[in-house]
Amino acid sequence: MYVKSRGEFASKQVLSKNLAFLLCFASFCAGMFFTNRMWMVPEANGIRLTSRTEGKQFVDCDLNVVLKNEANSSRSISGSKHSIETVDKAISDLEIKLMAARAERETIMKDPMLSVGVKNIESTSKRKYFMVIGINTAFSSRKRRDSVRATWMPQAEKRKKLEEEKGIVIRFVIGHSSTSGGILDKAIEAEEKVHGDFLRLQHVEGYLELSAKTKTYFATAVSLWDAEFYIKVDDDVHVNLATLGMNLAGHRTKPRVYIGCMKSGPVLAQKGVKYHEPEYWKFGEVGNRYFRHATGQLYAISKDLATYIMINQNVLHKYANEDVSLGAWFIGLDVEHVDDRRLCCGTPPDCEWKAQAGNICVASFDWRCSGICRSVERILEVHERCGEDKNALWSTNFMQTTKSSS
């Protein structure tokens, strides 16, 4: 009896050991399985965390859902940021337009004659123009004006057609004499009645006041005409209008562009010399040079820059030379300077050779005279030898992206 019971007990003991061994082995396998499931290495070609066993692939679906949600959240944040930036830009544009409208109103209110002019062109001012060309002139330059009218500037109905069909406005720009209503002003008024091609400024004429005149011109022009470009040119320079238009059309997509023949001349500290700079000390040591700026015979700026001048005209500093002043107004802004040598060709034979080679110049003048030497006598010759085809202006479409607004 005792022996039998002992045998049964031994048998049970062996069974328990076997069972324990099996349980341990099963636990080990389960541990290995779950360890592989939990500690997974990301694949190099994606963010799929998997374990590979005997060619089978197991994917953690829950983790993929989390990653997808995070990606969607990132896209939502990026989209929101873009929307905020868009709204900020729209608000900034509206603020600029509001400031421009206020500055425009102030400019018009300061000049009674300008107020009358605005009423006269109220219907046409609603449309958009391609470019406004202001020809800088003086009281003593009647013969120069007539020589320009006889060459590159369309007259009468052709000038009106140029505005209506091509969106190109051309005016002689002049202020008033120191004696308002005197003989000089009356002579301009009489000339205006004949030709109707003046833009009168609220400005007292004088050679040392060219910087102020330039500032007033841009502020007044942008108040009267909503154009893409605003150009200043001297009355002793020859211009090919179609070539100028095609040149500017290539810069339409640029918001703040300043186009001209860029130069960096010496700052002249010596008194009594031409182009003397009274504020030479601001440019460093004697003998230094100016920053890059467009030469004053002809340059063009986009609407944003003209608007900037109009808004800030009361605080923009004026240097002795108007081309330096204009460059100084833009030096701290995000402006693209375009150096185009076609805007400063020489008179024949220079511009003639270039025209024969198919590179027609935008503007021609003599550097030594800062314009065409003896322009009254010679501008017709320059026009005949360096001018573009007579039909070029009327056959070129400048208004491809400029439409009238209602």
Side-chain angles (χ1 to χ4, degrees), residues 46 93 209 216 223 297 344 398:
D93 290 342
E209 297 298 327
T216 304
S223 299
Q297 286 82 0
C344 55
F398 306 111

Side-chain angles (χ1 to χ4, degrees), residues 136-142 145 173-174 188 205 213 235:
N136 183 46
T137 192
F139 290 112
S140 59
S141 299
R142 172 63 189 263
R145 291 191 292 274
V173 179
I174 195 167
I188 294 296
E205 286 290 324
K213 183 177 182 179
D235 60 5

Side-chain angles (χ1 to χ4, degrees), residues 56-67:
K56 294 182 179 179
Q57 180 175 315
F58 302 92
V59 181
D60 192 335
C61 297
D62 292 337
L63 187 56
N64 278 344
V65 171
V66 172
L67 292 174

Side-chain angles (χ1 to χ4, degrees), residues 86-197:
T86 302
V87 172
D88 285 344
K89 186 178 184 301
I91 293 174
S92 178
D93 290 342
L94 288 173
E95 288 175 343
I96 291 174
K97 288 180 180 179
L98 178 60
M99 287 188 292
R102 288 174 177 170
E104 179 180 332
R105 184 174 180 276
E106 290 176 2
T107 301
I108 293 172
M109 293 299 292
K110 287 179 182 178
D111 190 346
M113 291 184 66
L114 188 58
S115 299
V116 174
V118 170
K119 291 178 182 178
N120 291 336
I121 63 171
E122 185 175 348
S123 59
T124 60
S125 64
K126 292 181 180 179
R127 65 161 292 176
K128 290 186 178 296
Y129 293 86
F130 177 38
M131 60 181 174
V132 175
I133 302 173
I135 307 173
N136 183 46
T137 192
F139 290 112
S140 59
S141 299
R142 172 63 189 263
K143 291 183 178 180
R144 282 188 181 182
R145 291 191 292 274
D146 286 342
S147 67
V148 169
R149 292 178 180 123
T151 53
W152 63 267
M153 180 181 179
Q155 290 300 294
E157 291 302 316
K158 285 188 177 180
R159 184 169 58 81
K160 184 177 180 181
K161 179 182 178 183
L162 188 66
E163 294 182 12
E164 294 175 350
E165 297 185 6
K166 303 297 180 180
I168 299 176
V169 177
I170 308 176
R171 295 289 189 276
F172 286 106
V173 179
I174 195 167
H176 300 273
S177 66
S178 56
T179 306
S180 182
I183 188 172
L184 296 177
D185 291 312
K186 289 181 179 178
I188 294 296
E189 291 169 6
E191 193 176 342
E192 166 69 4
K193 288 180 180 179
V194 175
H195 298 284
D197 55 6

